[in-house]
Amino acid sequence: MKILICQPKLESGLEQLEYELHKNPFVDAAIFPEGYLNENIVQACELAQKYNVALITGYRNLQERPKDRAVMINRNGTVVIDRIKYSVATFAQESGFTIGHILCDELVIQGLNGVQESRLDLIVHPIGVGMFSEEQFDEWIGRAREIAIQHKVMVIGTSHADGSFGDTGISIPIAYCFDKQGDVVFISKNDVRTRILDMQTKQFYFA
């Protein structure tokens, strides 16, 4: 499975999503940050179906608290994961792989909620804004590696290219991938180029 890993800027629409899917029509799945879709779920489903690609990301329901939700849309444009932040992790099949989410700070607050699923292939970690310090960057990278080793699962995370936490005015864009042994496939700091990863070979390149 070939996965598109994107670090878009915050936007109200889905222009960057459609641009990346149009530019890379051969990928099987695309990962975007927490909240990127905003409330544009119907349009995202249409794009998934149009480009025959699974979308693994997050959106916002402003009627709920917390407002952020993890979402996975399959290649037919059907929502197969839709859960509110801080709830129990759920999983879905895509292209023969079992895939689930850790949504932003769930990584450090609850991890995988004690899930003992031995057949997980991939955990996607959509992150909202970039890290607010070097210490947070190191902490989150370290925790992601621990989860990869503990659950013997590949973990991929990505944040937006801009934005800052609270009023700090600081944002260190982050993207990373660990394999099932916890070995680094890539770790990106302040490099927001789009990447494509081949899960079978664990090789990546810039799109």
Side-chain angles (χ1 to χ4, degrees):
M1 182 164 71
K2 289 184 172 59
I3 302 175
L4 191 70
I5 304 164
C6 301
Q7 294 179 270
K9 291 185 177 180
L10 294 164
E11 63 176 345
S12 59
L14 302 181
E15 288 82 6
Q16 291 165 96
L17 170 59
E18 184 157 23
Y19 170 81
E20 293 289 357
L21 296 183
H22 179 77
K23 181 183 174 185
N24 302 286
F26 53 87
V27 298
D28 303 294
I31 299 173
F32 273 69
E34 178 194 51
Y36 170 76
L37 297 183
N38 289 300
E39 296 178 276
N40 301 311
I41 291 296
V42 172
Q43 184 184 356
C45 290
E46 292 170 350
L47 290 173
Q49 183 179 38
K50 176 181 178 180
Y51 290 99
N52 188 33
V53 62
L55 301 179
I56 312 167
T57 177
Y59 75 100
R60 292 172 179 163
N61 183 336
L62 299 180
Q63 309 305 313
E64 296 181 318
R65 288 293 180 272
K67 64 182 182 297
D68 287 301
R69 298 185 70 92
V71 66
M72 177 171 163
I73 303 167
N74 69 17
R75 299 173 78 163
N76 296 320
T78 301
V79 174
V80 292
I81 293 177
D82 183 4
R83 71 169 181 86
I84 193 167
K85 193 173 184 178
Y86 308 127
S87 62
V88 176
T90 53
F91 310 96
Q93 292 285 325
E94 178 56 50
S95 303
F97 294 92
T98 303
I99 301 171
H101 283 70
I102 300 174
L103 198 59
C104 201
D105 62 344
E106 287 183 338
L107 176 77
V108 292
I109 291 175
Q110 64 187 44
L112 282 178
N113 267 346
V115 169
Q116 299 298 321
E117 170 60 69
S118 60
R119 299 181 62 185
L120 283 173
D121 298 298
L122 173 63
I123 290 294
V124 176
H125 179 209
I127 305 165
V129 297
M131 305 287 95
F132 59 78
S133 68
E134 295 286 346
E135 291 77 15
Q136 186 195 19
F137 189 100
D138 293 341
E139 177 191 13
W140 284 38
I141 288 294
R143 182 63 185 128
R145 181 174 184 272
E146 290 173 0
I147 288 172
I149 295 170
Q150 177 185 353
H151 293 275
K152 296 180 174 58
V153 61
M154 179 175 278
V155 184
I156 300 174
T158 188
S159 77
H160 285 96
D162 58 353
S164 64
F165 182 80
D167 297 320
T168 63
I170 300 170
S171 177
I172 305 171
I174 178 175
Y176 70 84
C177 178
F178 291 102
D179 68 15
K180 293 185 177 185
Q181 289 73 47
D183 293 329
V184 174
V185 179
F186 68 83
I187 296 176
S188 169
K189 179 191 296 184
N190 282 318
D191 180 352
V192 299
R193 289 177 291 177
T194 298
R195 292 167 171 80
I196 295 174
L197 172 74
D198 187 322
M199 277 193 66
Q200 282 85 354
T201 65
K202 296 189 291 187
Q203 299 296 310
F204 80 93
Y205 55 93
F206 295 106

